[in-house]
Structures are given as C-alpha cells and as structure tokens.
Amino acid sequence: MELSESIRNRRSIRKFTDEPISKEDLRDIVQAGMNAPSGCNAQCWKFIVLTNKSKIDEVANALEKATRTFYASVGATDELIESRVKLTTFFKKAPAVIFVFKTDMQYHDSRVTEIFTNHLGYSHEKMIDAMGNPEILSIGACVQNMLLTIHEKGLGACWQCDPVLFGDDICKVLNVTNARLSSVIPVGVPAQTPREKRLKSFDDVCTIM
C-alpha cells in the first residue's frame, strides 16, 4: 500500500473480531514506532503489549473503577458515567492492546540546560515546555508510525488518550515505574467500516507564502 493511500484511508477502529494478532505483526508495529524521529534522539518511550485476555481485563477493570470514582466525585449523572466508562475501556474487546509510556527527556546540550536552569531559574519541565515539548511531539510521531503500519497490515486501531487521566492506576496494574502513560492503542481485525472523514478545507488551515 502506498504511504499516501495509507494516510488518506486510515480510520479509527473501535470494534474488532476475535482473531488474534501475531507476535510478528505486533513486533513490526512497535518497531515502526521506535523508528520515529524524537527530540535529541532521546527515544523517550516505553511499550507494553498485552495479548493476554485476563490481563487486559484486569487493566480495564481498574480503569473502570477509577473512572466511576472520579466522575461520581464531581456529581456526574449516571448516564455520563456509563458513557465515559464505555469510551475509556472499549480497548478490552481488542485481541491486543499497546500501552505507550513517556519517559523523561534529557536535552542533548548541557550548555543550554545550564543557561535555562542556572541562569534563568527554569525547572527542567519548564525548559522542555519552552522548547515546544519535544518529548510529547516524539510520542505523537511514534504513535502515528504505528497507526500507519497497523493500517498497512490490514488491521485496525484507535488512538486512545482518555485512559491517560487514570494513568497511575494503569501503571500500578502493569508494574510500570519512572514513566507516564501517554497513549493506549487497541489493535485487531476491524469489525466495522467507519464513515469517511470530513476534513477542513486546505485554505482554512494552510497559508503558503
């Protein structure tokens, strides 16, 4: 499949068949993510891929509990709570789930770090933010590489960010330390055909000078 075709035709898939995904395909998908550009070549990512149904359910159950507790604490209606649970945990129906974690990024030039931290009084986090959050951009590029590879293989996926709100709960279940959950990507054989994506017009979003 041509790259341009993959970019145009890829869609978010939220319903999957029960067909398992091979370890070879999962390895190819994560390897594609690892080949993404990253700020300072920090490669500030970690991955956990779950194919064990009981473990996927364990994560989903912890996430459901955290979601219910959070929204109930702010007085959300039962209808809203149920919709948030469904939206946040639908990955449990996929045969494979990729959890993407962001690790700390160290800027490559210590002289620049010294200027920001010692002379300007910036924290490391504030310095990275001032530079455009390259670690977050790197994760985005990584996930996009994986999504396009998934589509190229005739599989489907969805880029989930809602579970990140309760990333600490997921990290606890998966025994992850020194990293922050960034994205959850359920992967499987599509059991739906999404409608066409409506894009804004080119002239509305781009100016060529």
Side-chain angles (χ1 to χ4, degrees):
M1 185 181 297
E2 294 290 337
L3 175 61
S4 58
E5 182 182 354
S6 292
I7 292 172
R8 287 194 305 271
N9 295 335
R10 192 210 65 80
R11 297 289 183 272
S12 294
I13 301 296
R14 295 175 175 84
K15 295 180 181 180
F16 309 93
T17 70
D18 294 330
E19 185 176 338
I21 308 303
S22 71
K23 289 184 178 180
E24 290 76 13
D25 279 344
L26 291 171
R27 185 179 180 87
D28 288 346
I29 291 163
V30 173
Q31 191 73 55
M34 293 169 58
N35 275 283
S38 65
C40 303
N41 194 31
Q43 302 175 55
C44 47
W45 41 58
K46 294 287 185 182
F47 311 88
I48 290 182
V49 183
L50 296 185
T51 58
N52 182 286
K53 178 60 176 173
S54 62
K55 196 65 178 181
I56 293 174
D57 285 342
E58 184 181 354
V59 175
N61 290 339
L63 189 55
E64 177 177 349
K65 180 180 178 180
T67 302
R68 290 187 183 280
T69 300
F70 174 80
Y71 284 102
S73 71
V74 295
T77 64
D78 289 344
E79 180 183 5
L80 176 59
I81 292 174
E82 294 303 321
S83 68
R84 296 310 301 175
V85 167
K86 181 178 180 180
L87 182 67
T88 306
T89 64
F90 72 82
F91 65 80
K92 66 184 179 182
K93 297 181 179 180
V97 186
I98 302 172
F99 295 86
V100 185
F101 299 88
K102 179 177 70 66
T103 59
D104 289 336
M105 173 185 170
Q106 298 301 318
Y107 194 72
H108 74 287
D109 194 330
S110 60
R111 298 167 299 178
V112 173
T113 300
E114 183 179 359
I115 290 172
F116 276 89
T117 57
N118 295 343
H119 294 279
L120 298 178
Y122 279 37
S123 66
H124 178 74
E125 292 74 16
K126 185 177 180 181
M127 180 190 77
I128 294 297
D129 180 67
M131 293 181 171
N133 297 114
E135 83 285 28
I136 297 176
L137 298 177
S138 301
I139 293 292
C142 168
V143 172
Q144 177 71 338
N145 273 14
M146 289 194 287
L147 292 176
L148 291 175
T149 302
I150 290 166
H151 182 68
E152 182 185 41
K153 288 178 174 292
L155 302 172
C158 184
W159 187 350
Q160 285 190 266
C161 294
D162 288 276
V164 175
L165 180 60
F166 310 106
D168 289 345
D169 297 271
I170 294 177
C171 285
K172 185 176 181 180
V173 174
L174 296 178
N175 195 29
V176 173
T177 58
N178 300 319
R180 180 181 178 184
L181 181 68
S182 178
S183 303
V184 177
I185 308 171
V187 183
V189 176
Q192 65 174 139
T193 302
R195 62 187 176 187
E196 289 294 316
K197 182 187 297 185
R198 294 183 179 180
L199 298 179
K200 295 179 180 179
S201 73
F202 185 87
D203 291 338
D204 283 342
V205 299
C206 182
T207 300
I208 299 178
M209 296 182 175

